[in-house]
């Protein structure tokens, strides 16, 4: 990634300002009232307070940070170290486990977001291995295919580190899903049934230092297509969120050992716009490399996503057409490997006519 390709250059209106606005007010939520597995029932007032915090965070920001989340630090650090070892190898070695359109799992360094190349390289791993997904993004193709994780020869400990970490981050994601469900006035387990054979994956990100941080972005502005994203980032930082109040790009300062959580498009649709999936991006850094590990919590491939019946009324009817998550996912993934002639599918394309997008 040493030579600057024009594909990295952002349109003038999207180029980052190098002056940084630090985020103030993004909620830091303490999850210590959780037991190891389930929502505790012996302290309802603590749970009500926690649910209210989550509700406010989802409504006002679409983002929040969590501490005392139950994910053992040693599992996170083990995967972070393995990730650094993998990315420190030669490009030739990394390309031995390259992902492609047939099997999108593995390594690639030409990720496109909104058809502009991101200044980063990534390694994608599914939590359930193998995972069934649609064979094609075409609506007429009902076939399925299994995608399988690729494991590099080096570092040999990456597989074990990932599988141990994935087990813990999945538990946290289910807890967060229960909290969000409660915050919408639903039963804690209302959304759980959509995730029996989920299509969740973790992305190991490496953002090399960049000679043109005023022209390129580590990741262009985008919204996450899944249900929830649970992000571990290092202390370099660079994640920016578009503040709902005024559209200003503001940076989320890293909190040691915390996770950053954001609701994705699916939660926006299920909640019938009560909660909004918020645009975010990653700044490039001219001095330091950055590492992060987002976990994308996605439902089963056959789930039809639509506003929940309990959250629609005659006065507030469904704002979105139902869509199949697997097909939506397959369509989104196409743009990971090639620049498309059109903007990739977004949920605003599924707005019911007459509803503002």
């Amino acid at each position: 990634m040493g030579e600057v390709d024009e594909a990295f250059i952002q349109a003038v209106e999207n180029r980052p300002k190098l002056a940084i606005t630090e985020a103030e007010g993004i909620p830091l939520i303490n999850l210590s009232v959780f037991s190891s597995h389930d929502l505790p029932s012996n302290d309802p007032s603590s749970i009500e307070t926690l649910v209210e915090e989550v509700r406010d965070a989802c409504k006002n920001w679409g983002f929040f940070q969590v501490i005392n989340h139950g994910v053992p630090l040693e599992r996170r650090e083990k995967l972070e170290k393995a990730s650094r070892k993998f990315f420190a190898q030669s490009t030739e070695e990394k390309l031995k486990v390259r992902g492609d359109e047939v099997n999108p799992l593995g390594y690639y360094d030409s990720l496109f977001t909104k058809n502009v190349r991101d200044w980063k390289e990534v390694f994608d791993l599914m939590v359930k291995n193998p995972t069934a997904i649609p064979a094609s993004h075409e609506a007429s193709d009902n076939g399925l295919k299994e995608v399988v994780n690729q494991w590099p020869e080096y570092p040999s400990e990456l597989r074990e580190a990932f599988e141990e970490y994935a087990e813990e981050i999945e538990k946290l994601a289910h807890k967060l899903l229960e909290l969000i469900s409660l915050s919408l006035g639903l039963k804690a387990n209302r959304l759980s049934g959509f995730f029996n054979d989920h299509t969740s994956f973790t992305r190991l990100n490496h953002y090399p230092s960049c000679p043109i941080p005023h022209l390129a972005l580590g990741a262009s502005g985008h919204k996450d297509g899944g249900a929830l994203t649970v992000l571990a980032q290092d202390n370099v930082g660079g994640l920016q969120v578009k503040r709902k109040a005024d559209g200003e790009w503001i940076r989320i300062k890293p909190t040691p050992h915390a996770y950053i959580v954001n609701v994705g498009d699916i939660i926006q649709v299920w909640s019938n716009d009560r909660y909004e999936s918020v645009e975010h991006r990653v700044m490039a850094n001219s001095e330091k490399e950055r590492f992060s590990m987002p976990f994308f919590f996605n439902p089963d491939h056959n789930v039809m996503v639509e506003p929940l019946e309990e959250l629609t009324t005659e006065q507030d009817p469904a704002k979105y057409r139902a869509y199949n998550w697997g097909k939506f996912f397959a369509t989104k993934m196409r743009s990971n490997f090639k620049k498309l002639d059109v903007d990739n599918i977004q949920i605003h394309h599924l707005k019911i006519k007459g509803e503002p997008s």
Side-chain angles (χ1 to χ4, degrees), residues 53-190:
E53 288 179 21
V54 169
R55 182 183 297 119
D56 289 346
C58 291
K59 273 187 173 180
N60 298 327
W61 286 94
F63 271 78
F64 54 95
Q65 299 186 76
V66 293
I67 56 173
N68 295 321
H69 40 67
V71 178
L73 181 60
E74 60 271 18
R75 293 204 176 184
R76 172 170 166 171
E77 288 180 335
K78 185 176 177 180
L79 183 57
E80 285 173 343
K81 286 175 184 173
S83 173
R84 286 172 182 267
K85 285 182 181 180
F86 172 78
F87 287 120
Q89 296 181 101
S90 68
T91 301
E92 183 182 11
E93 282 301 311
K94 289 181 283 194
L95 287 174
K96 289 179 180 177
V97 285
R98 185 176 190 173
D100 55 35
E101 285 189 73
V102 176
N103 182 17
L105 304 179
Y107 170 81
Y108 44 104
D109 63 353
S110 56
L111 187 73
F112 287 88
T113 302
K114 299 238 176 127
N115 289 329
V116 181
R117 192 172 169 189
D118 294 337
W119 193 273
K120 69 175 178 179
E121 53 182 348
V122 309
F123 193 92
D124 282 352
L125 293 160
M126 283 287 187
V127 171
K128 290 186 179 291
N129 185 40
T131 296
I133 63 170
S136 158
H137 67 285
E138 299 289 349
S140 57
D141 184 352
N142 294 320
L144 295 175
K145 66 179 178 182
E146 285 192 332
V147 291
V148 182
N149 288 336
Q150 300 192 71
W151 303 109
E153 287 184 19
Y154 178 87
S156 58
E157 68 269 23
L158 189 141
R159 179 172 186 165
E160 180 182 81
F162 170 72
E163 290 176 347
E164 289 176 353
Y165 178 77
E167 182 183 3
E168 297 296 333
I169 204 74
E170 184 181 350
K171 287 179 195 172
L172 173 58
H174 276 287
K175 290 176 183 177
L176 292 166
L177 193 70
E178 289 184 342
L179 276 172
I180 286 172
S181 187
L182 288 169
S183 77
L184 288 165
L186 306 169
K187 291 181 178 178
N189 65 355
R190 174 62 177 89

Side-chain angles (χ1 to χ4, degrees), residues 22-33:
E22 289 283 8
E24 292 181 7
I26 287 189
L28 184 66
I29 297 178
N30 188 335
L31 299 182
S32 59
V33 296

